[in-house]
Amino acid sequence: MTGYRKRALRRKLKIPVVVRQENGERIVSTHTLDFSTGGAKIKLDLSVDLPERFLIILSESGEVQRLCSLIWRSAGEVGVRFVQPETRTAPTAPGGS
């Protein structure tokens, strides 16, 4: 968890999130404290057992989620880096480009 430096501009942004293990098992509901294109700071009590990699769900439908890597942890907060960049693909017509 060392050697990571913030590269993207972070914005204070309180977004409700659900933290899940990679297999989908729910860990906890919480919220972000700040957010950037590369990662986030999440409010999280030290008593919550968090794996090195996990998902954060950013929408009620579960369609918006990020695979995260735990970077640092302190009392009440964790810093995460997004492992996979956000991907948005537009649907294509069959046989079209």
Coordinates of all heavy atoms in Angstrom, one line a residue:
M1 N 0.8 -1.2 0.0 CA 0.0 0.0 0.0 C 0.9 1.3 0.0 O 0.4 2.3 0.3 CB -0.9 0.0 1.2 CG -2.1 -0.9 1.1 SD -3.3 -0.7 2.4 CE -2.5 -1.3 3.8
T2 N 2.1 1.2 -0.3 CA 3.0 2.4 -0.3 C 3.4 2.7 -1.7 O 3.3 1.9 -2.6 CB 4.2 2.1 0.6 OG1 4.9 1.0 0.0 CG2 3.8 1.9 2.0
G3 N 3.9 3.9 -1.9 CA 4.4 4.3 -3.2 C 3.4 4.9 -4.1 O 3.7 5.2 -5.2
Y4 N 2.2 5.1 -3.7 CA 1.1 5.6 -4.5 C 1.0 7.1 -4.3 O 1.0 7.6 -3.2 CB -0.2 4.9 -4.2 CG -1.4 5.5 -5.0 CD1 -1.5 5.3 -6.3 CD2 -2.3 6.3 -4.4 CE1 -2.6 5.8 -7.0 CE2 -3.4 6.9 -5.1 CZ -3.5 6.6 -6.4 OH -4.5 7.1 -7.1
R5 N 1.0 7.8 -5.4 CA 0.8 9.3 -5.3 C -0.4 9.7 -6.2 O -0.6 9.2 -7.2 CB 2.0 10.0 -5.8 CG 3.2 9.8 -5.0 CD 4.3 10.7 -5.4 NE 5.5 10.4 -4.6 CZ 6.0 11.3 -3.8 NH1 5.5 12.5 -3.7 NH2 7.0 11.0 -3.1
K6 N -1.2 10.6 -5.6 CA -2.4 11.1 -6.3 C -2.0 11.8 -7.6 O -1.1 12.6 -7.6 CB -3.2 12.1 -5.5 CG -3.8 11.4 -4.3 CD -4.7 12.5 -3.6 CE -4.2 12.8 -2.3 NZ -5.0 13.7 -1.5
R7 N -2.6 11.5 -8.7 CA -2.3 12.1 -10.0 C -3.5 12.9 -10.5 O -3.3 13.8 -11.3 CB -1.9 11.0 -11.0 CG -0.6 10.4 -10.6 CD -0.2 9.3 -11.6 NE 0.9 8.6 -11.0 CZ 1.4 7.6 -11.5 NH1 1.0 7.1 -12.6 NH2 2.4 7.0 -10.9
A8 N -4.7 12.6 -10.2 CA -5.9 13.2 -10.7 C -6.4 14.2 -9.7 O -6.3 14.0 -8.5 CB -6.9 12.2 -11.1
L9 N -7.0 15.3 -10.2 CA -7.7 16.2 -9.3 C -8.8 15.6 -8.6 O -9.7 15.0 -9.2 CB -8.1 17.4 -10.1 CG -8.9 18.5 -9.4 CD1 -7.9 19.2 -8.4 CD2 -9.4 19.5 -10.4
R10 N -8.9 15.7 -7.3 CA -9.9 15.2 -6.5 C -10.9 16.3 -6.1 O -10.6 17.4 -5.9 CB -9.4 14.6 -5.2 CG -8.6 13.3 -5.4 CD -8.2 12.6 -4.1 NE -7.5 11.4 -4.4 CZ -8.1 10.2 -4.4 NH1 -9.3 10.1 -4.0 NH2 -7.4 9.1 -4.6
R11 N -12.2 15.9 -6.1 CA -13.3 16.8 -5.8 C -14.0 16.3 -4.5 O -14.3 15.1 -4.5 CB -14.3 16.9 -6.9 CG -13.6 17.3 -8.2 CD -14.4 18.4 -8.9 NE -13.8 18.7 -10.1 CZ -13.2 19.8 -10.4 NH1 -13.0 20.7 -9.4 NH2 -12.7 20.1 -11.6
K12 N -14.3 17.1 -3.6 CA -15.1 16.7 -2.4 C -16.5 16.4 -3.0 O -17.1 17.2 -3.6 CB -15.2 17.8 -1.4 CG -13.9 18.0 -0.7 CD -14.1 19.0 0.5 CE -12.8 19.3 1.1 NZ -12.2 18.2 1.9
L13 N -16.9 15.1 -2.8 CA -18.1 14.6 -3.4 C -18.6 13.5 -2.5 O -17.9 12.5 -2.4 CB -17.8 14.1 -4.8 CG -19.0 13.9 -5.7 CD1 -19.9 15.1 -5.9 CD2 -18.5 13.5 -7.1
K14 N -19.8 13.7 -2.0 CA -20.4 12.6 -1.1 C -21.4 11.8 -2.0 O -22.4 12.2 -2.3 CB -21.1 13.3 0.1 CG -21.6 12.3 1.1 CD -22.2 13.0 2.3 CE -22.7 12.0 3.3 NZ -23.3 12.7 4.5
I15 N -20.9 10.6 -2.3 CA -21.7 9.7 -3.1 C -22.0 8.4 -2.3 O -21.0 7.8 -1.8 CB -20.9 9.3 -4.4 CG1 -20.6 10.5 -5.2 CG2 -21.7 8.3 -5.2 CD1 -19.6 10.2 -6.4
P16 N -23.2 8.0 -2.2 CA -23.5 6.7 -1.5 C -22.9 5.6 -2.3 O -23.0 5.5 -3.5 CB -25.0 6.7 -1.4 CG -25.6 7.9 -2.1 CD -24.4 8.7 -2.7
V17 N -22.2 4.7 -1.6 CA -21.7 3.5 -2.3 C -21.9 2.2 -1.4 O -22.1 2.3 -0.2 CB -20.1 3.6 -2.5 CG1 -19.8 4.8 -3.4 CG2 -19.4 3.8 -1.2
V18 N -21.9 1.1 -2.1 CA -22.0 -0.2 -1.5 C -20.6 -0.8 -1.8 O -20.2 -0.9 -2.9 CB -23.1 -1.1 -2.0 CG1 -23.0 -2.5 -1.3 CG2 -24.5 -0.4 -1.7
V19 N -19.9 -1.3 -0.8 CA -18.7 -2.0 -0.9 C -18.9 -3.5 -0.9 O -19.6 -4.0 -0.1 CB -17.7 -1.6 0.2 CG1 -16.3 -2.3 0.0 CG2 -17.5 -0.1 0.3
R20 N -18.4 -4.1 -2.0 CA -18.6 -5.6 -2.1 C -17.3 -6.3 -2.4 O -16.4 -5.7 -3.0 CB -19.6 -5.9 -3.3 CG -21.0 -5.4 -3.1 CD -21.9 -5.9 -4.2 NE -23.3 -5.4 -4.0 CZ -24.2 -6.1 -3.2 NH1 -23.9 -7.2 -2.7 NH2 -25.4 -5.6 -3.1
Q21 N -17.2 -7.5 -2.0 CA -16.1 -8.3 -2.4 C -16.2 -8.6 -3.9 O -17.2 -8.4 -4.5 CB -16.1 -9.7 -1.6 CG -15.9 -9.5 -0.2 CD -15.7 -10.8 0.6 OE1 -15.3 -11.8 0.0 NE2 -16.1 -10.8 1.8
E22 N -15.1 -9.0 -4.5 CA -15.1 -9.3 -5.9 C -16.1 -10.3 -6.4 O -16.6 -10.3 -7.5 CB -13.7 -9.7 -6.4 CG -12.7 -8.5 -6.4 CD -11.4 -8.9 -7.1 OE1 -11.3 -8.9 -8.3 OE2 -10.4 -9.2 -6.3
N23 N -16.4 -11.2 -5.5 CA -17.4 -12.2 -5.8 C -18.9 -11.7 -5.6 O -19.8 -12.4 -5.8 CB -17.2 -13.5 -4.9 CG -17.5 -13.3 -3.4 OD1 -18.0 -12.2 -3.0 ND2 -17.2 -14.2 -2.6
G24 N -19.0 -10.4 -5.2 CA -20.3 -9.8 -5.1 C -20.9 -9.7 -3.7 O -21.9 -9.1 -3.5
E25 N -20.2 -10.4 -2.8 CA -20.8 -10.4 -1.4 C -20.6 -9.0 -0.8 O -19.6 -8.4 -0.8 CB -20.0 -11.4 -0.5 CG -20.5 -11.6 0.9 CD -19.6 -12.6 1.7 OE1 -19.1 -13.5 1.1 OE2 -19.6 -12.4 2.9
R26 N -21.7 -8.6 -0.2 CA -21.8 -7.2 0.4 C -20.9 -7.1 1.6 O -21.0 -8.0 2.5 CB -23.2 -6.9 0.7 CG -23.4 -5.5 1.3 CD -24.9 -5.2 1.6 NE -25.0 -3.9 2.3 CZ -24.7 -3.6 3.5 NH1 -24.3 -4.6 4.3 NH2 -24.9 -2.4 4.0
I27 N -20.1 -6.1 1.7 CA -19.3 -5.8 2.9 C -20.0 -4.7 3.8 O -20.2 -4.9 4.9 CB -17.9 -5.4 2.5 CG1 -17.2 -6.5 1.8 CG2 -17.1 -5.0 3.8 CD1 -15.8 -6.2 1.2
V28 N -20.3 -3.6 3.1 CA -20.9 -2.5 3.9 C -21.4 -1.4 3.0 O -21.0 -1.3 1.8 CB -19.8 -1.8 4.8 CG1 -18.7 -1.1 4.0 CG2 -20.3 -0.9 5.9
S29 N -22.4 -0.6 3.5 CA -22.8 0.6 2.8 C -22.2 1.8 3.4 O -22.1 1.9 4.6 CB -24.4 0.7 2.8 OG -25.0 -0.3 2.1
T30 N -21.7 2.8 2.6 CA -21.1 4.0 3.2 C -21.2 5.1 2.1 O -22.1 5.1 1.3 CB -19.6 3.6 3.6 OG1 -19.1 4.8 4.2 CG2 -18.8 3.2 2.4
H31 N -20.2 6.0 2.1 CA -20.2 7.1 1.1 C -18.8 7.5 0.9 O -17.9 7.3 1.7 CB -21.1 8.2 1.5 CG -20.7 9.0 2.7 ND1 -21.1 8.6 4.0 CD2 -19.8 10.0 2.9 CE1 -20.5 9.4 4.9 NE2 -19.8 10.3 4.2
T32 N -18.6 8.1 -0.3 CA -17.3 8.7 -0.6 C -17.1 10.1 0.1 O -18.1 10.7 0.4 CB -17.1 8.9 -2.1 OG1 -18.1 9.9 -2.6 CG2 -17.2 7.7 -2.9
L33 N -15.9 10.5 0.3 CA -15.6 11.8 0.9 C -15.0 12.7 -0.2 O -15.3 13.9 -0.2 CB -14.6 11.7 2.0 CG -15.1 10.9 3.2 CD1 -14.0 10.6 4.2 CD2 -16.2 11.6 3.9
D34 N -14.3 12.1 -1.1 CA -13.8 12.8 -2.3 C -13.7 11.7 -3.4 O -13.6 10.5 -3.2 CB -12.6 13.7 -2.1 CG -11.3 12.9 -1.8 OD1 -11.1 11.8 -2.3 OD2 -10.5 13.5 -1.1
F35 N -13.5 12.2 -4.7 CA -13.6 11.4 -5.8 C -12.8 12.0 -6.9 O -12.8 13.2 -7.1 CB -15.1 11.3 -6.2 CG -15.4 10.1 -7.1 CD1 -15.7 8.9 -6.5 CD2 -15.4 10.2 -8.4 CE1 -16.1 7.8 -7.2 CE2 -15.8 9.1 -9.2 CZ -16.1 7.9 -8.6
S36 N -12.1 11.1 -7.7 CA -11.4 11.6 -8.9 C -11.5 10.5 -10.0 O -12.1 9.4 -9.7 CB -9.9 11.8 -8.6 OG -9.2 10.6 -8.5
T37 N -10.9 10.7 -11.1 CA -11.0 9.7 -12.2 C -10.2 8.5 -11.8 O -10.4 7.4 -12.3 CB -10.5 10.3 -13.5 OG1 -9.2 10.8 -13.3 CG2 -11.4 11.4 -14.0
G38 N -9.2 8.7 -10.9 CA -8.3 7.6 -10.6 C -8.5 6.9 -9.3 O -8.0 5.8 -9.0
G39 N -9.4 7.4 -8.4 CA -9.6 6.8 -7.1 C -10.6 7.6 -6.3 O -11.2 8.6 -6.8
A40 N -10.6 7.3 -5.0 CA -11.6 7.9 -4.1 C -11.1 7.8 -2.7 O -10.3 6.9 -2.3 CB -13.0 7.4 -4.2
K41 N -11.6 8.6 -1.8 CA -11.5 8.5 -0.4 C -12.9 8.1 0.1 O -13.9 8.8 -0.2 CB -11.0 9.8 0.3 CG -10.9 9.7 1.8 CD -10.1 10.8 2.5 CE -10.4 12.2 1.9 NZ -9.8 13.2 2.8
I42 N -13.0 7.0 0.9 CA -14.2 6.5 1.4 C -14.3 6.5 2.9 O -13.3 6.1 3.5 CB -14.4 5.0 0.8 CG1 -14.4 5.1 -0.7 CG2 -15.7 4.4 1.3 CD1 -14.4 3.7 -1.3
K43 N -15.4 6.9 3.4 CA -15.6 6.8 4.9 C -15.8 5.3 5.2 O -16.7 4.7 4.7 CB -16.9 7.6 5.3 CG -17.1 7.6 6.8 CD -18.2 8.6 7.1 CE -18.5 8.6 8.6 NZ -17.4 8.9 9.4
L44 N -15.0 4.9 6.2 CA -15.1 3.4 6.5 C -14.4 3.2 7.9 O -13.3 3.6 8.1 CB -14.3 2.6 5.5 CG -14.6 1.1 5.5 CD1 -16.1 0.8 5.1 CD2 -13.7 0.4 4.6
D45 N -15.2 2.7 8.8 CA -14.7 2.4 10.2 C -13.6 1.4 10.1 O -13.6 0.4 9.3 CB -15.9 1.9 11.0 CG -15.6 1.9 12.5 OD1 -15.7 2.9 13.1 OD2 -15.1 0.8 12.9
L46 N -12.6 1.5 11.0 CA -11.5 0.6 11.1 C -12.0 -0.8 11.4 O -11.3 -1.8 11.1 CB -10.5 1.0 12.2 CG -9.6 2.2 11.8 CD1 -8.8 2.6 13.0 CD2 -8.6 1.7 10.7
S47 N -13.1 -1.0 12.0 CA -13.6 -2.4 12.4 C -14.1 -3.2 11.2 O -14.2 -4.4 11.2 CB -14.8 -2.3 13.4 OG -15.9 -1.7 12.8
V48 N -14.3 -2.5 10.0 CA -14.7 -3.2 8.8 C -13.5 -3.9 8.2 O -12.5 -3.2 7.9 CB -15.3 -2.2 7.8 CG1 -15.7 -2.9 6.5 CG2 -16.6 -1.6 8.4
D49 N -13.6 -5.2 8.0 CA -12.5 -6.0 7.4 C -12.6 -5.8 5.9 O -13.6 -6.1 5.2 CB -12.7 -7.4 7.7 CG -11.5 -8.3 7.3 OD1 -10.4 -7.7 7.1 OD2 -11.7 -9.5 7.0
L50 N -11.6 -5.2 5.3 CA -11.6 -4.9 3.8 C -10.4 -5.6 3.1 O -9.3 -5.5 3.5 CB -11.4 -3.4 3.7 CG -11.8 -2.7 2.4 CD1 -13.3 -2.9 2.1 CD2 -11.5 -1.3 2.4
P51 N -10.8 -6.3 2.0 CA -9.7 -7.0 1.3 C -8.9 -6.0 0.5 O -9.2 -4.8 0.4 CB -10.5 -7.9 0.3 CG -11.8 -7.3 0.2 CD -12.1 -6.6 1.5
E52 N -7.8 -6.5 -0.1 CA -6.9 -5.6 -0.9 C -7.6 -5.1 -2.1 O -7.3 -4.0 -2.6 CB -5.6 -6.3 -1.2 CG -4.6 -6.5 0.0 CD -4.1 -5.2 0.5 OE1 -3.7 -4.3 -0.2 OE2 -4.1 -5.0 1.8
R53 N -8.4 -5.9 -2.7 CA -9.2 -5.6 -3.9 C -10.7 -5.8 -3.6 O -11.0 -6.8 -3.0 CB -8.8 -6.4 -5.1 CG -7.4 -5.9 -5.7 CD -6.9 -6.8 -6.8 NE -7.9 -7.1 -7.8 CZ -7.7 -6.9 -9.1 NH1 -6.6 -6.4 -9.5 NH2 -8.6 -7.3 -9.9
F54 N -11.5 -4.9 -4.1 CA -13.0 -5.0 -3.8 C -13.7 -4.1 -4.8 O -13.0 -3.3 -5.6 CB -13.3 -4.6 -2.4 CG -12.7 -3.2 -2.0 CD1 -13.5 -2.1 -2.2 CD2 -11.5 -3.1 -1.5 CE1 -13.0 -0.8 -1.9 CE2 -10.9 -1.9 -1.2 CZ -11.7 -0.7 -1.4
L55 N -15.0 -4.2 -4.9 CA -15.8 -3.4 -5.7 C -16.5 -2.3 -4.9 O -16.9 -2.5 -3.8 CB -16.9 -4.2 -6.4 CG -16.4 -5.3 -7.4 CD1 -17.6 -6.2 -7.7 CD2 -15.9 -4.7 -8.6
I56 N -16.7 -1.1 -5.5 CA -17.6 -0.1 -5.0 C -18.7 0.0 -6.0 O -18.5 0.2 -7.2 CB -17.0 1.2 -4.6 CG1 -16.3 1.9 -5.8 CG2 -16.0 1.0 -3.4 CD1 -15.9 3.3 -5.4
I57 N -19.9 0.0 -5.6 CA -21.1 0.1 -6.4 C -21.6 1.6 -6.2 O -21.9 2.0 -5.1 CB -22.2 -0.9 -6.0 CG1 -21.7 -2.3 -5.8 CG2 -23.4 -0.8 -7.0 CD1 -21.0 -2.9 -7.0
L58 N -21.7 2.3 -7.4 CA -22.0 3.7 -7.3 C -23.4 4.0 -7.8 O -23.8 5.2 -8.0 CB -21.0 4.5 -8.2 CG -19.6 4.3 -7.7 CD1 -18.6 4.7 -8.9 CD2 -19.3 5.3 -6.6
S59 N -24.2 3.0 -8.0 CA -25.6 3.3 -8.4 C -26.5 2.2 -7.8 O -26.1 1.1 -7.5 CB -25.7 3.2 -10.0 OG -25.5 1.9 -10.4
E60 N -27.8 2.6 -7.6 CA -28.8 1.7 -7.0 C -28.9 0.4 -7.9 O -29.1 -0.7 -7.3 CB -30.1 2.4 -6.8 CG -30.1 3.4 -5.7 CD -31.4 4.0 -5.4 OE1 -32.4 3.3 -5.6 OE2 -31.5 5.1 -4.9
S61 N -28.8 0.6 -9.2 CA -29.0 -0.5 -10.1 C -27.8 -1.5 -10.1 O -27.9 -2.6 -10.6 CB -29.3 0.0 -11.5 OG -28.2 0.6 -12.0
G62 N -26.7 -1.0 -9.7 CA -25.4 -1.8 -9.7 C -24.7 -1.7 -11.0 O -23.7 -2.3 -11.2
E63 N -25.3 -0.9 -12.0 CA -24.6 -0.8 -13.3 C -23.3 0.0 -13.2 O -22.5 -0.2 -14.1 CB -25.6 -0.1 -14.3 CG -26.8 -1.0 -14.6 CD -27.7 -0.3 -15.6 OE1 -27.4 0.7 -16.2 OE2 -28.9 -0.9 -15.7
V64 N -23.2 0.9 -12.3 CA -22.0 1.7 -12.2 C -21.2 1.2 -11.0 O -21.6 1.4 -9.9 CB -22.3 3.3 -12.0 CG1 -21.0 4.1 -12.0 CG2 -23.2 3.7 -13.2
Q65 N -20.0 0.6 -11.3 CA -19.2 0.1 -10.3 C -17.7 0.2 -10.7 O -17.4 0.3 -11.9 CB -19.6 -1.4 -9.9 CG -19.6 -2.3 -11.1 CD -20.1 -3.7 -10.7 OE1 -19.4 -4.4 -10.1 NE2 -21.4 -3.9 -11.1
R66 N -16.9 0.1 -9.7 CA -15.4 0.2 -10.0 C -14.7 -0.9 -9.1 O -15.0 -1.1 -8.0 CB -14.9 1.6 -9.5 CG -15.4 2.7 -10.3 CD -14.9 2.8 -11.7 NE -15.5 3.9 -12.4 CZ -16.7 3.9 -13.0 NH1 -17.4 2.8 -13.1 NH2 -17.1 5.0 -13.7
L67 N -13.8 -1.5 -9.8 CA -12.9 -2.4 -9.1 C -11.8 -1.6 -8.4 O -11.2 -0.7 -9.1 CB -12.3 -3.5 -10.0 CG -11.3 -4.5 -9.4 CD1 -12.0 -5.3 -8.3 CD2 -10.7 -5.3 -10.5
C68 N -11.6 -1.8 -7.1 CA -10.7 -0.9 -6.4 C -9.5 -1.7 -5.7 O -9.7 -2.8 -5.4 CB -11.4 -0.2 -5.3 SG -12.7 0.9 -5.8
S69 N -8.4 -1.0 -5.5 CA -7.3 -1.5 -4.8 C -7.1 -0.6 -3.6 O -7.1 0.6 -3.7 CB -6.1 -1.5 -5.7 OG -5.0 -1.9 -5.0
L70 N -7.0 -1.2 -2.4 CA -6.8 -0.4 -1.2 C -5.4 0.2 -1.2 O -4.4 -0.6 -1.3 CB -7.0 -1.3 0.0 CG -6.8 -0.7 1.4 CD1 -7.8 0.4 1.7 CD2 -6.9 -1.8 2.5
I71 N -5.3 1.5 -1.0 CA -4.0 2.2 -1.0 C -3.5 2.6 0.4 O -2.4 2.4 0.7 CB -4.1 3.4 -1.9 CG1 -4.5 3.1 -3.3 CG2 -2.8 4.2 -1.9 CD1 -3.6 2.1 -4.0
W72 N -4.4 3.1 1.2 CA -4.1 3.5 2.5 C -5.3 3.4 3.4 O -6.5 3.4 2.9 CB -3.5 4.9 2.6 CG -4.3 6.0 2.0 CD1 -4.3 6.5 0.8 CD2 -5.4 6.7 2.7 NE1 -5.2 7.5 0.6 CE2 -5.9 7.7 1.8 CE3 -5.9 6.7 4.0 CZ2 -7.0 8.5 2.1 CZ3 -7.0 7.5 4.3 CH2 -7.5 8.4 3.4
R73 N -5.1 3.4 4.7 CA -6.2 3.3 5.7 C -5.9 4.1 6.9 O -4.7 4.0 7.4 CB -6.5 1.9 6.0 CG -7.7 1.7 6.8 CD -8.1 0.2 6.9 NE -9.4 0.2 7.4 CZ -10.3 -0.8 7.2 NH1 -9.8 -1.9 6.6 NH2 -11.5 -0.8 7.6
S74 N -6.8 4.9 7.4 CA -6.6 5.6 8.7 C -8.0 5.5 9.4 O -8.9 5.0 8.9 CB -6.2 7.0 8.4 OG -7.2 7.8 7.8
A75 N -8.0 6.1 10.6 CA -9.3 6.1 11.4 C -10.4 6.7 10.6 O -10.4 7.9 10.4 CB -9.0 6.8 12.7
G76 N -11.4 5.9 10.2 CA -12.6 6.4 9.6 C -12.5 6.6 8.1 O -13.5 7.0 7.5
E77 N -11.4 6.4 7.5 CA -11.2 6.6 6.0 C -10.3 5.6 5.4 O -9.4 5.1 6.0 CB -10.6 8.0 5.8 CG -11.4 9.2 6.4 CD -10.7 10.5 6.2 OE1 -9.5 10.5 5.9 OE2 -11.3 11.5 6.4
V78 N -10.6 5.4 4.1 CA -9.7 4.6 3.3 C -9.5 5.3 1.9 O -10.4 6.0 1.4 CB -10.2 3.1 3.0 CG1 -10.2 2.3 4.3 CG2 -11.5 3.1 2.3
G79 N -8.3 5.1 1.4 CA -8.0 5.6 0.0 C -7.9 4.5 -0.9 O -7.3 3.4 -0.6
V80 N -8.6 4.6 -2.0 CA -8.6 3.5 -3.0 C -8.2 4.0 -4.4 O -8.4 5.2 -4.7 CB -10.0 2.9 -3.1 CG1 -10.5 2.3 -1.8 CG2 -11.1 3.8 -3.7
R81 N -7.6 3.2 -5.2 CA -7.3 3.4 -6.6 C -8.2 2.6 -7.4 O -8.4 1.4 -7.1 CB -5.8 3.1 -6.8 CG -5.4 3.3 -8.3 CD -4.0 3.0 -8.6 NE -3.6 1.8 -7.9 CZ -2.3 1.5 -7.7 NH1 -1.4 2.3 -8.0 NH2 -2.0 0.3 -7.1
F82 N -8.7 3.1 -8.5 CA -9.5 2.3 -9.4 C -8.6 1.5 -10.3 O -7.7 2.0 -10.9 CB -10.4 3.2 -10.3 CG -11.4 4.1 -9.5 CD1 -11.6 5.4 -9.8 CD2 -12.0 3.6 -8.3 CE1 -12.5 6.2 -9.1 CE2 -12.9 4.3 -7.6 CZ -13.1 5.6 -8.0
V83 N -8.8 0.2 -10.2 CA -8.0 -0.8 -10.9 C -8.3 -0.7 -12.4 O -7.4 -0.8 -13.3 CB -8.1 -2.2 -10.4 CG1 -7.3 -3.2 -11.2 CG2 -7.7 -2.2 -8.9
Q84 N -9.5 -0.7 -12.8 CA -10.0 -0.6 -14.2 C -10.5 0.7 -14.4 O -11.4 1.2 -13.7 CB -11.0 -1.7 -14.5 CG -10.5 -3.1 -14.2 CD -11.6 -4.1 -14.4 OE1 -12.7 -3.8 -14.2 NE2 -11.2 -5.3 -14.7
P85 N -10.2 1.4 -15.5 CA -10.8 2.7 -15.8 C -12.2 2.5 -16.2 O -12.7 1.4 -16.6 CB -10.0 3.1 -17.1 CG -9.4 1.9 -17.7 CD -9.2 0.9 -16.5
E86 N -13.0 3.6 -16.0 CA -14.4 3.6 -16.4 C -14.5 3.2 -17.9 O -13.8 3.8 -18.7 CB -15.0 5.0 -16.1 CG -16.4 5.1 -16.5 CD -17.0 6.4 -16.2 OE1 -16.2 7.3 -15.7 OE2 -18.1 6.6 -16.5
T87 N -15.4 2.3 -18.2 CA -15.6 2.0 -19.6 C -17.1 2.2 -19.9 O -18.0 1.8 -19.2 CB -15.3 0.5 -19.9 OG1 -16.1 -0.3 -19.0 CG2 -13.8 0.2 -19.7
R88 N -17.3 2.9 -21.0 CA -18.6 3.2 -21.5 C -18.6 2.8 -23.0 O -17.8 3.4 -23.8 CB -19.0 4.6 -21.4 CG -19.1 5.1 -19.9 CD -19.6 6.5 -19.8 NE -19.5 6.9 -18.5 CZ -20.2 7.9 -18.0 NH1 -21.0 8.6 -18.7 NH2 -20.1 8.2 -16.7
T89 N -19.4 1.9 -23.4 CA -19.4 1.5 -24.8 C -20.8 1.7 -25.3 O -21.8 1.3 -24.6 CB -19.0 0.0 -25.0 OG1 -19.9 -0.8 -24.1 CG2 -17.6 -0.3 -24.6
A90 N -20.9 2.3 -26.4 CA -22.2 2.6 -27.1 C -22.6 1.3 -27.8 O -21.8 0.7 -28.4 CB -22.1 3.7 -28.0
P91 N -23.9 1.0 -27.7 CA -24.3 -0.2 -28.5 C -24.2 0.0 -30.0 O -24.3 1.1 -30.5 CB -25.8 -0.4 -28.1 CG -26.2 0.9 -27.4 CD -24.9 1.6 -27.0
T92 N -23.8 -1.0 -30.7 CA -23.7 -0.9 -32.2 C -24.8 -1.7 -32.8 O -25.3 -2.7 -32.3 CB -22.4 -1.4 -32.7 OG1 -22.2 -2.8 -32.2 CG2 -21.2 -0.6 -32.1
A93 N -25.3 -1.3 -34.0 CA -26.3 -2.0 -34.7 C -25.7 -3.3 -35.3 O -24.6 -3.3 -35.7 CB -26.8 -1.1 -35.8
P94 N -26.5 -4.3 -35.3 CA -26.0 -5.6 -35.9 C -25.6 -5.4 -37.3 O -26.2 -4.7 -38.1 CB -27.3 -6.5 -35.8 CG -28.2 -5.9 -34.8 CD -27.9 -4.4 -34.8
G95 N -24.4 -5.8 -37.6 CA -23.8 -5.7 -38.9 C -23.2 -4.3 -39.2 O -22.7 -4.1 -40.3
G96 N -23.4 -3.4 -38.3 CA -22.9 -2.0 -38.5 C -21.7 -1.7 -37.8 O -21.1 -2.6 -37.0
S97 N -21.1 -0.5 -37.9 CA -19.9 -0.1 -37.2 C -20.1 1.2 -36.5 O -21.0 1.8 -36.7 CB -18.7 0.0 -38.2 OG -19.0 0.8 -39.3

